[in-house]
Amino acid sequence: MTANTMKALAKSKPEPGLWMIEAPVPEIGPDEVLIRINKTGICGTDIHIWNWDEWAAGTVPVPMITGHEFAGEIVEIGRNVTGLTLGQRCSGEGHLIGTDSRQSRAGKFHLDPGTRGIGVNEQGAFAQYLKLPAFNVVPLPDDIPDDIGAILDPLGNAVHTALSFDLLGEDVLITGAGPIGIMAAAVARHAGARNVVLTDINADRLTLAADVVPSVRTVNVTKEDLHDVAHELGLTEGFDVGLEMSGSQAALDQVVEALVMGGKIALLGIPPGESPVNWGRIVFKAITIKGVYGREMFETWYKMIAMLQNGLDVSRVITHRFDVSEFAEGFAEMKSGRSGKVVLDWR
Ligand code: ZN
């Protein structure tokens, strides 16, 4: 039915770069499916792996097929699998979990401490075929195209972060206008926030944000003061909820400063190493902080598909599409810091 080998984009040497290789088509186990990949999204994680920075060199074994953002269709089904059909379009959760931990046994699969990521710890999705536990498969409704299916993983990060707290009628400050921050702004609007302010220091990204979510107030914090913006919007006591998506210490400080008493912060951005935090300020403002990792399995997936079917539109966050033969151009766009999501076509 399928060939024995496939094209795959791999880290095949412990040095910067990725290489197109011929790899064996994965053999599936009884609880797994084989997915023919149609489209994949390039993630910041993939850029770290391409660059072979300290994190990547210390985390990713070589050789490794990279990539974890994908849409495709099921072409082979393990003998224990029920409820999935050949030809079914799907995306899927790239975090492979164990079922023995306390959190998994409580049904909080996204909190399993033994989670392994495809494209990082296990062979990934930048390939013509991907094997995945049937448990991780998320079927795609007909009205969600492969382009969107290929970015559900980062959209899921945005949805998980944005829905950490009730946003209905709230004033929301989002720091970091990368693709996930921009999508979080779209989700916050969809979820009924009154004002959504999105900050960055990169003018190109703020321009993209205004294009994707016209109703968001973008702020270049190198040119504009957040206090002035809050005043202009009539927020006399501050923002209710902060979503920190940049990993920047300065941004986190700005969020704490700009929040109302008793405000809430969800943190998705990862600060480099140890960052000094003024804890006294957080205590005296009675602020709640939540760290966010991955997506809730599978509530985040359920909610994001439902929102996409109910008018949430993030399609313009995809700024570049390439045939996979032009993957180097796609990575160059990502590395420029000016792009939104870059999608590679494997068909
Ligand atoms: Zn990703």
Side-chain angles (χ1 to χ4, degrees):
M1 180 177 60
T2 53
N4 294 325
T5 64
M6 62 178 186
K7 278 190 299 181
L9 198 48
K11 174 64 73 177
S12 32
K13 297 174 268 188
E15 58 187 70
L18 288 177
W19 295 271
M20 192 62 80
I21 62 167
E22 276 298 311
V25 172
E27 285 184 27
I28 62 168
D31 299 311
E32 296 174 325
V33 299
L34 190 67
I35 297 165
R36 184 168 63 84
I37 298 295
N38 289 336
K39 302 269 179 93
T40 56
I42 302 176
C43 180
T45 302
D46 305 317
I47 302 300
H48 288 290
I49 295 173
W50 176 296
N51 292 340
W52 206 236
D53 61 16
E54 202 181 325
W55 169 83
T59 307
V60 180
V62 174
M64 175 61 68
I65 299 170
T66 53
H68 56 270
E69 304 178 359
F70 68 92
E73 61 188 75
I74 297 173
V75 293
E76 199 182 331
I77 299 179
R79 62 181 148 79
N80 292 346
V81 176
T82 56
L84 296 174
T85 54
L86 288 175
Q88 189 159 30
R89 294 175 56 249
C90 68
S91 181
E93 172 57 57
H95 284 173
L96 312 182
I97 52 104
T99 52
D100 293 334
S101 67
R102 176 186 177 178
Q103 298 290 19
S104 275
R105 288 175 67 82
K108 300 173 198 166
F109 300 115
H110 68 292
L111 297 178
D112 180 61
T115 293
R116 297 174 63 75
I118 65 168
V120 176
N121 316 107
E122 302 282 346
Q123 301 300 323
F126 287 171
Q128 288 178 296
Y129 296 95
L130 168 72
K131 85 169 173 180
L132 196 70
F135 177 80
N136 287 57
V137 170
V138 177
L140 286 178
D142 291 343
D143 52 356
I144 296 186
D146 284 343
D147 276 4
I148 299 298
I151 64 165
L152 289 182
D153 172 293
L155 175 58
N157 292 136
V159 168
H160 187 184
T161 310
L163 299 189
S164 290
F165 303 109
D166 181 17
L167 298 185
L168 180 62
E170 303 292 291
D171 298 314
V172 179
L173 173 61
I174 305 175
T175 47
I180 296 178
I182 293 173
M183 290 192 284
V187 172
R189 292 297 291 162
H190 189 83
R194 177 170 57 178
N195 291 294
V196 177
V197 171
L198 177 58
T199 71
D200 207 293
I201 55 174
N202 177 330
D204 294 313
R205 290 227 146 127
L206 291 167
T207 302
L208 174 63
D211 181 49
V212 178
V213 201
S215 60
V216 71
R217 172 68 158 90
T218 57
V219 177
N220 186 332
V221 286
T222 66
K223 301 211 167 89
E224 246 185 316
D225 191 317
L226 257 181
H227 287 107
D228 297 341
V229 174
H231 184 74
E232 166 202 313
L233 296 173
L235 309 185
T236 51
E237 297 189 45
F239 292 87
D240 304 297
V241 176
L243 310 177
E244 207 306 285
M245 318 298 265
S246 72
S248 148
Q249 174 69 46
L252 178 57
D253 289 343
Q254 284 163 3
V255 175
V256 172
E257 181 68 32
L259 277 196
V260 69
M261 281 290 295
K264 306 175 186 87
I265 307 176
L267 298 175
L268 185 78
I270 303 165
E274 297 181 7
S275 297
V277 172
N278 185 342
W279 288 106
R281 183 136 188 80
I282 290 168
V283 171
F284 286 125
K285 283 190 97 165
I287 286 170
T288 300
I289 298 184
K290 179 191 175 193
V292 178
Y293 176 62
R295 296 144 298 279
E296 287 187 4
M297 293 174 225
F298 284 83
E299 185 65 5
T300 301
W301 291 87
Y302 185 94
K303 288 274 197 184
M304 78 176 143
I305 287 172
M307 286 189 285
L308 287 167
Q309 293 184 306
N310 186 30
L312 174 66
D313 183 3
V314 293
S315 55
R316 292 169 74 84
V317 85
I318 302 173
T319 53
H320 296 80
R321 294 172 174 82
F322 292 98
D323 184 84
V324 69
S325 61
E326 301 168 317
F327 71 89
E329 283 91 330
F331 275 80
E333 286 295 343
M334 282 288 289
K335 286 198 251 183
S336 75
R338 289 190 300 270
S339 74
K341 290 301 293 185
V342 176
V343 169
L344 301 177
D345 190 336
W346 288 81
R347 290 167 304 178

